[in-house]
Amino acid sequence: MGETMTILMIAAIAAALVVASLIRRAGREECLVVTRHRRILRTASGSTTVAVPGFHEVLEWPTGQLEVAVVVRSRTLDEQDVRVLATAAVEIDPPRIGDAYVDPHAVLYSALERRIAEAVRARPAEWLTDDQAGLRSALVGVRVDGLVRGVVADVVIDEVDLLLHPGRPDHESF
């Protein structure tokens, strides 16, 4: 009888471990995305979900605002080379069932990088930090569409650096 109890205890522990490996819980400020072959099957926000290891992959998706720090080097409307450091808060849309899963951080970084570069090219250098016509006003409220969708809720322009190039034909000696 003692040997049977030992076997039953080992089987019960093994079953508990298998069940525990199937269950995942979403943390605060995130939802879980269950994928198979990197296609989104379902999402679980603020709850638990079941996924079979090796068959499903459970990945995290941020909810609420996601802060993305971006560094962009571009040329202004008046032909000045600048480097812009900005931090954007983006309200991300939830992932859609059937879409391919992509890392929202990397995709948003690329999308914001393009948007900031476009905004820099459309303005002279002296306007970049202006409250009314500067980069912040050009980016807040902009819809980011693509592999990850969302709206830019806020932008902080941390730094705008004018890049000097000694020896260029348009450079004047002092």
Side-chain angles (χ1 to χ4, degrees):
M1 185 77 171
E3 191 174 299
T4 305
M5 281 302 279
T6 303
I7 292 172
L8 287 174
M9 294 270 296
I10 291 171
I13 291 171
L17 290 173
V18 167
V19 169
S21 73
L22 298 176
I23 297 174
R24 293 279 309 265
R25 181 160 178 77
R28 295 184 66 183
E29 300 285 325
E30 71 180 16
C31 72
L32 296 177
V33 176
V34 179
T35 66
R36 182 172 43 222
H37 305 296
R38 301 302 274 188
R39 287 267 172 221
I40 299 171
L41 298 176
R42 66 181 179 275
T43 62
S45 180
S47 64
T48 58
T49 189
V50 176
V52 179
F55 188 65
H56 294 125
E57 188 175 9
V58 180
L59 303 163
E60 297 171 353
W61 188 273
T63 58
Q65 287 188 352
L66 177 64
E67 284 196 358
V68 182
V70 183
V71 178
V72 177
R73 185 172 175 175
S74 187
R75 188 171 281 220
T76 62
L77 187 63
D78 56 352
E79 297 295 317
Q80 298 294 319
D81 286 332
V82 295
R83 182 178 47 229
V84 177
L85 281 70
T87 304
V90 182
E91 300 267 347
I92 301 176
D93 294 348
R96 294 190 293 198
I97 307 297
D99 281 358
Y101 178 86
V102 293
D103 177 21
H105 297 275
V107 171
L108 284 175
Y109 182 90
S110 297
L112 288 168
E113 190 177 46
R114 282 191 306 275
R115 292 289 180 135
I116 292 171
E118 289 169 6
V120 167
R121 285 191 294 270
R123 288 164 177 69
E126 64 186 51
W127 288 12
L128 295 181
T129 58
D130 185 69
D131 289 335
Q132 302 301 319
L135 293 177
R136 185 178 186 287
S137 64
L139 297 168
V140 172
V142 168
R143 181 110 183 119
V144 178
D145 289 320
L147 298 174
V148 175
R149 292 160 291 283
V151 176
V152 178
D154 192 21
V155 175
V156 175
I157 305 301
D158 299 310
E159 198 173 299
V160 176
D161 298 324
L162 180 62
L163 305 175
L164 301 176
H165 301 280
R168 274 192 9 196
D170 61 347
H171 178 71
E172 294 180 22
S173 297
F174 292 101

